[in-house]
C-alpha cells in the first residue's frame, strides 16, 4: 500500500511538471512559427527544428502520461476491488482534472462516476455521466466510450428510479453504435434493461435477458462486475416465486460481500432491492 | 490466464498530435498564401495523402474490432472453428503488423482452449522470437510471455515456465496490459501446484484474488476458479461447464488435474 501511494504521488508530480514543459514548448513553437512566416528561408532553418522538437517532445510526453494513467487506473481498479473506494476516488478525481489530454480526462470522469455509483452517491454519478455524455461527445467518440457513457447515464437513472429517463438513455446508447466501442458497453446496456424490468415488476423477462446473454456478458465484463449481474439474476429469480427461488439463492450465495457494503449502493434508491439485500444478509 | 486481448480504443495514439500538425499546416497554408511564402505552398502536398491514409486505417481498424469481438464471443461459446477462422485471417494480415500480432495471440489462445497446447506454444514462441517487434507495437510482449509460461506450466516444463514468468515480469516499453500481473500470479500458482506445493499455490491465489477479479473477465476467471478449487482440494460445486469439454485443456498434460476435472463433471 505504501509503495502504491508513493507511486501515485511521484506520478502526479511528474505529470504536472510535464504539463508545464508542454506549455512552455508550445509558446516556443508558436514563436518559431511566427518567425518562419516573417523571416523566410533562414528563419525556417531555425524554426523547423524547434517545431519538430516540440512536436516530438509532445508525443513522447503524451506517451509517458498515458502509461502513467494506465498504471494508476489499474491501481484504482484494484482498490475498488478491495472496497477502498476513497483511494479509487482520489486517483480518478485527479486524472479527471487533467487539462492537456482529453482522452484521459473523459475516461477518468467516467471511472470517477463509477466510483460515485459504488459509493451510493447516485445523483453525483448521474451528473458526471451526463456531463461527460452530453458535452464531451467528440472525445468519447475517440476513446470508444460513447455507448458506455450513455449506458452509465441510463444505469444511474435506473438505480435512482427514473425509469423513463433510463429508457430514453438506453435508446440514445443504442444509437451510438459506431465502432470502436468498449467491450463492456453492450453488457452495461443489458444490466440497465434488467434493472428497469425488475423495477417494473417484470422479473421473468429480466432473468431471461440475463440468461440469454450470459456467455457474452461473462466474456466482456471483469469478474468483479460480474458479481452485480449475478446478484441481479438472483434477485430476479427469487422474485419469480418458489419454483425459481432455489437457483436465485445459489446466485446469492456466490456473491457474499467481499467487503462491507459491497452491494449496498444498489438499494440506495430502490427499496425492494434494499429489503432483498437485508433479508439475504448482503449488507451489514 | 491471459484470456483474449481486448481492443483498447482509448489507448494513446498520435491522432491528436497529427491533428495539431494538420492544423498548423492549414494555418501555414493560409499565412503562406497571404505572404507569398514559397515553402509553405508545399504543405498541401502532404495533407491529402495523410487524410486518405487515416481514413483507410480507421476503416481497417473498425473492421478488425467488429470481427475480433464476434470471434471472442464465438470462442466463449465454444465455437472454436468460427473463432479460428477470424483470428487466422487477421493473423495473416500483413499490412497491419500490430493487429496481426493481436490476432496471432488470440489464435494461440484458441488453440490452447481446444487442448492443442503444443500448437499454442509454438504460435506464442514464434511471436516472441521471430516477430517480437510487432508484439512490442501491440504492447503484447508481457502478455504473450506469461501465456507462454502458462503453456509450459500446463505441459509440465516447469523450468522453462519460470524463465518465461521472469521475462513477463520485466518492465515493458508500452503500458502494461490490464491482466498481466494477475496472470503472473496464477501461473506461479500453477507451477507451485505442479511441484506439489499446494499450500503455496493457495497462498499466492489468496493474496492476489481481488486483483484477479478486478482485472480479468468472467470467462478468464473460469479456469482460475478450477485451479483454486484444485489447490484447496474442494469440490467445484458453484461452476458447471458451459459446453462439453470446456476447460479440459488444463488437464491435457496434467493427469491429477484431469482426474479432478472428470470428478467435477468437466
Amino acid at each position: 500500500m505504501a509503495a502504491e501511494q508513493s507511486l501515485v504521488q511521484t506520478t502526479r508530480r511528474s505529470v504536472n511538471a510535464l504539463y508545464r514543459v508542454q506549455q512552455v514548448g508550445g509558446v516556443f513553437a508558436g514563436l518559431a512559427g511566427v518567425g518562419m512566416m516573417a523571416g523566410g528561408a533562414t528563419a525556417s532553418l531555425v524554426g523547423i527544428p524547434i517545431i519538430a522538437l516540440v512536436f516530438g517532445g509532445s508525443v513522447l510526453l503524451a506517451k509517458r502520461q498515458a502509461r502513467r494513467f494506465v498504471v494508476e487506473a489499474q491501481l484504482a481498479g484494484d482498490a475498488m476491488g478491495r472496497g477502498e473506494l476513497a483511494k479509487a476516488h482520489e486517483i480518478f478525481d485527479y486524472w479527471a482534472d487533467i487539462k492537456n489530454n482529453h482522452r484521459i480526462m473523459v475516461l477518468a470522469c467516467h471511472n470517477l462516476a463509477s466510483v460515485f455509483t459504488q459509493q451510493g452517491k447516485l445523483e453525483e454519478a448521474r451528473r458526471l455521466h451526463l456531463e461527460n455524455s452530453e458535452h464531451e461527445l467528440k472525445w468519447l467518440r475517440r476513446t470508444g466510450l460513447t455507448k458506455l457513457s450513455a449506458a452509465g447515464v441510463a444505469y444511474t437513472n435506473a438505480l435512482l428510479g427514473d425509469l423513463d429517463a433510463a429508457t430514453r438513455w438506453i435508446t440514445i446508447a443504442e444509437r451510438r453504435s459506431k465502432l470502436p466501442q468498449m467491450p463492456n458497453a453492450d453488457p452495461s446496456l443489458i444490466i440497465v434493461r434488467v434493472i428497469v424490468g425488475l423495477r417494473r415488476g417484470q422479473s421473468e423477462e429480466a432473468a431471461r435477458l440475463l440468461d440469454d446473454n450470459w456467455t457474452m456478458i461473462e466474456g466482456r465484463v471483469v469478474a468483479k462486475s460480474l458479481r452485480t449481474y449475478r446478484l441481479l439474476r438472483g434477485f430476479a429469480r427469487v422474485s419469480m416465486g418458489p419454483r425459481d427461488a432455489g437457483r436465485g439463492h445459489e446466485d446469492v450465495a456466490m456473491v457474499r460481500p467481499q467487503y462491507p457494503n459491497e452491494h449496498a449502493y444498489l438499494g440506495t434508491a430502490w427499496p425492494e432491492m434494499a429489503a432483498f439485500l437485508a433479508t439475504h444478509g448482503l449488507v451489514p | 490466464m491471459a484470456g483474449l486481448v481486448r481492443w483498447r480504443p482509448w489507448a494513446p495514439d498520435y491522432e491528436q498530435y497529427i491533428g495539431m500538425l494538420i492544423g498548423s499546416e492549414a494555418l501555414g497554408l493560409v499565412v503562406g498564401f497571404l505572404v507569398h511564402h514559397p515553402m509553405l505552398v508545399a504543405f498541401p502536398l502532404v495533407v491529402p495523402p495523410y487524410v486518405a491514409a487515416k481514413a483507410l486505417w480507421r476503416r481497417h481498424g473498425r473492421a478488425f474490432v467488429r470481427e475480433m469481438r464476434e470471434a471472442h464471443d464465438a470462442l466463449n461459446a465454444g465455437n472454436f472453428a468460427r473463432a479460428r477462422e477470424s483470428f487466422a485471417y487477421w493473423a495473416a494480415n500483413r499490412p497491419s503488423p500490430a493487429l496481426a500480432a493481436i490476432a496471432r495471440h488470440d489464435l494461440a489462445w484458441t488453440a490452447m482452449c481446444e487442448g492443442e497446447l503444443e500448437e499454442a506454444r509454438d504460435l506464442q514462441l514464434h511471436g516472441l522470437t521471430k516477430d517480437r517487434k510487432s508484439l512490442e507495437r501491440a504492447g503484447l510482449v508481457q502478455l504473450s510471455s506469461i501465456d507462454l509460461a502458462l503453456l509450459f506450466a500446463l505441459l509440465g516444463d516447469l523450468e522453462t515456465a519460470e524463465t518465461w514468468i521472469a521475462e513477463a515480469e520485466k518492465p515493458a516499453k508500452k503500458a502494461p496490459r490490464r491482466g498481466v500481473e494477475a496472470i503472473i500470479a496464477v501461473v506461479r500458482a500453477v507451477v507451485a501446484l505442479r511441484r506439489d506445493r499446494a499450500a503455496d499455490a493457495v497462498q499466492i491465489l489468496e493474496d492476489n484474488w481481488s486483483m484477479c477479479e478486478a482485472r480479468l473477465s468472467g470467462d478468464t476467471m473460469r479456469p482460475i476458479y478450477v485451479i483454486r478449487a484444485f489447490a484447496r482440494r474442494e469440490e467445484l460445486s458453484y461452476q458447471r461447464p458451459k459446453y462439453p469439454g470446456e476447460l479440459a485443456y488444463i488437464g491435457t498434460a496434467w493427469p491429477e488435474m484431469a482426474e479432478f476435472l472428470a470428478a467435477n463433471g468437466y
Side-chain angles (χ1 to χ4, degrees):
Chain A
M1 289 295 291
E4 283 184 10
Q5 195 62 37
S6 128
L7 175 66
V8 169
Q9 282 164 0
T10 313
T11 297
R12 285 174 184 185
R13 277 198 297 274
S14 319
V15 166
N16 286 331
L18 293 180
Y19 182 42
R20 279 190 285 277
V21 169
Q22 271 181 303
Q23 284 177 316
V24 174
V27 171
F28 271 107
L31 289 174
V34 172
M36 277 167 64
M37 304 301 166
T42 316
S44 298
L45 289 176
V46 182
I48 288 173
I50 291 178
I51 290 176
L53 198 67
V54 172
F55 177 73
S58 290
V59 170
L60 286 177
L61 295 182
K63 279 177 81 172
R64 278 187 73 173
Q65 192 180 43
R67 191 189 158 96
R68 285 172 170 167
F69 173 69
V70 170
V71 172
E72 278 209 30
Q74 284 183 352
L75 295 180
D78 293 349
M80 281 177 84
R82 294 191 298 265
E84 295 164 14
L85 300 179
K87 184 178 173 186
H89 178 280
E90 189 201 343
I91 291 175
F92 288 129
D93 188 44
Y94 170 78
W95 286 98
D97 264 344
I98 207 84
K99 291 178 182 65
N100 61 339
N101 195 325
H102 266 72
R103 285 164 195 263
I104 289 178
M105 191 196 76
V106 293
L107 192 62
C109 279
H110 179 87
N111 289 347
L112 182 60
S114 301
V115 176
F116 280 144
T117 308
Q118 294 270 320
Q119 287 174 323
K121 299 173 183 170
L122 299 179
E123 289 286 0
E124 287 171 54
R126 175 166 65 179
R127 202 175 314 122
L128 197 51
H129 274 310
L130 203 57
E131 205 174 292
N132 228 11
S133 210
E134 285 185 334
H135 304 300
E136 301 290 349
L137 205 52
K138 173 184 159 191
W139 295 102
L140 290 174
R141 209 174 287 129
R142 291 186 176 196
T143 47
L145 266 176
T146 49
K147 190 187 260 191
L148 188 61
S149 182
V153 182
Y155 184 52
T156 43
N157 274 314
L159 286 176
L160 282 162
D162 190 346
L163 304 186
D164 291 337
T167 312
R168 197 168 58 249
W169 276 96
I170 289 173
T171 314
I172 293 172
E174 278 168 344
R175 258 189 258 132
R176 296 178 177 181
S177 56
K178 193 174 177 186
L179 290 172
Q181 295 291 345
M182 286 286 183
N184 55 338
D186 288 329
S188 299
L189 272 183
I190 288 172
I191 207 174
V192 180
R193 283 204 196 90
V194 166
I195 294 171
V196 170
L198 287 170
R199 297 197 77 158
R200 286 189 171 140
Q202 299 156 351
S203 312
E204 209 170 321
E205 289 83 346
R208 198 179 318 122
L209 187 59
L210 283 169
D211 282 336
D212 291 348
N213 291 285
W214 197 256
T215 303
M216 184 268 282
I217 293 169
E218 211 173 36
R220 296 192 190 181
V221 166
V222 293
K224 170 77 180 64
S225 305
L226 197 61
R227 292 168 58 76
T228 307
Y229 288 78
R230 211 179 282 281
L231 173 62
L232 287 168
R233 191 170 67 173
F235 178 76
R237 283 174 170 171
V238 170
S239 309
M240 280 160 68
R243 197 165 58 98
D244 299 281
R247 288 198 301 157
H249 289 131
E250 274 178 26
D251 280 330
V252 171
M254 287 182 70
V255 293
R256 292 267 151 236
Q258 291 174 334
Y259 52 85
N261 287 321
E262 182 189 356
H263 306 297
Y265 72 96
L266 288 169
T268 308
W270 186 0
E272 295 82 1
M273 177 55 84
F276 177 82
L277 294 173
T279 311
H280 291 82
L282 298 172
V283 281
Chain B
M1 302 279 159
L4 300 160
V5 175
R6 263 76 190 177
W7 180 245
R8 293 196 305 174
W10 50 270
D13 61 28
Y14 308 121
E15 221 174 73
Q16 58 183 318
Y17 296 99
I18 292 170
M20 280 163 48
L21 193 63
I22 287 181
S24 63
E25 281 175 358
L27 185 68
L29 182 65
V30 173
V31 178
F33 180 76
L34 291 175
V35 301
H36 307 292
H37 197 301
M39 192 194 76
L40 295 173
V41 180
F43 279 131
L45 297 174
V46 180
V47 178
Y50 167 72
V51 171
K54 188 177 162 184
L56 279 173
W57 169 250
R58 289 191 134 193
R59 210 173 143 183
H60 195 62
R62 273 198 294 270
F64 176 77
V65 172
R66 190 181 308 113
E67 204 163 322
M68 287 295 104
R69 199 153 292 166
E70 285 169 11
H72 290 163
D73 287 346
L75 180 56
N76 291 336
N79 188 351
F80 298 121
R82 166 73 185 80
R84 255 183 190 272
E85 190 190 343
S86 289
F87 294 141
Y89 169 78
W90 284 95
N93 188 7
R94 296 314 302 165
S96 315
L99 299 188
I102 292 173
R104 198 179 313 106
H105 173 275
D106 288 357
L107 183 61
W109 187 261
T110 308
M112 186 186 77
C113 291
E114 283 185 284
E116 305 291 342
L117 301 186
E118 281 92 356
E119 184 195 345
R121 178 198 58 195
D122 294 345
L123 276 167
Q124 294 287 14
L125 209 49
H126 175 87
L128 282 161
T129 52
K130 303 265 164 50
D131 200 14
R132 198 178 173 89
K133 204 163 184 179
S134 302
L135 279 179
E136 275 172 5
R137 269 189 212 167
L140 270 179
V141 172
Q142 285 179 309
L143 195 59
S144 281
S145 300
I146 197 61
D147 277 3
L148 188 55
L150 171 66
L151 287 160
F152 277 118
L154 291 178
L155 285 163
D157 185 350
L158 305 181
E159 281 75 27
T160 317
E162 281 179 334
T163 309
W164 282 103
I165 291 173
E167 183 72 20
E169 282 174 332
K170 284 182 190 166
K173 282 181 191 167
K174 283 206 170 186
R177 293 265 172 185
R178 188 172 60 178
V180 170
E181 279 179 63
I183 302 150
I184 288 174
V186 175
V187 180
R188 283 199 178 288
V190 172
V191 172
L193 278 171
R194 299 213 69 171
R195 292 211 156 113
D196 293 325
R197 297 198 321 255
D200 290 351
V202 171
Q203 193 60 48
I204 292 169
L205 289 173
E206 289 303 322
D207 291 348
N208 293 284
W209 195 252
S210 72
M211 180 175 64
C212 287
E213 284 204 321
R215 295 191 183 187
L216 302 177
S217 65
D219 65 311
T220 309
M221 284 300 289
R222 288 176 67 81
I224 301 172
Y225 288 127
V226 172
I227 290 164
R228 186 175 68 164
F230 177 77
R232 288 171 164 181
R233 303 279 184 265
E234 67 183 18
E235 239 181 81
L236 195 59
S237 54
Y238 46 86
Q239 185 172 285
R240 292 277 162 265
K242 281 194 289 191
Y243 50 84
E246 190 211 356
L247 306 183
Y249 68 88
I250 312 176
T252 306
W254 186 358
E256 298 85 358
M257 178 58 86
E259 269 177 42
F260 178 79
L261 288 168
N264 282 280
Y266 276 86

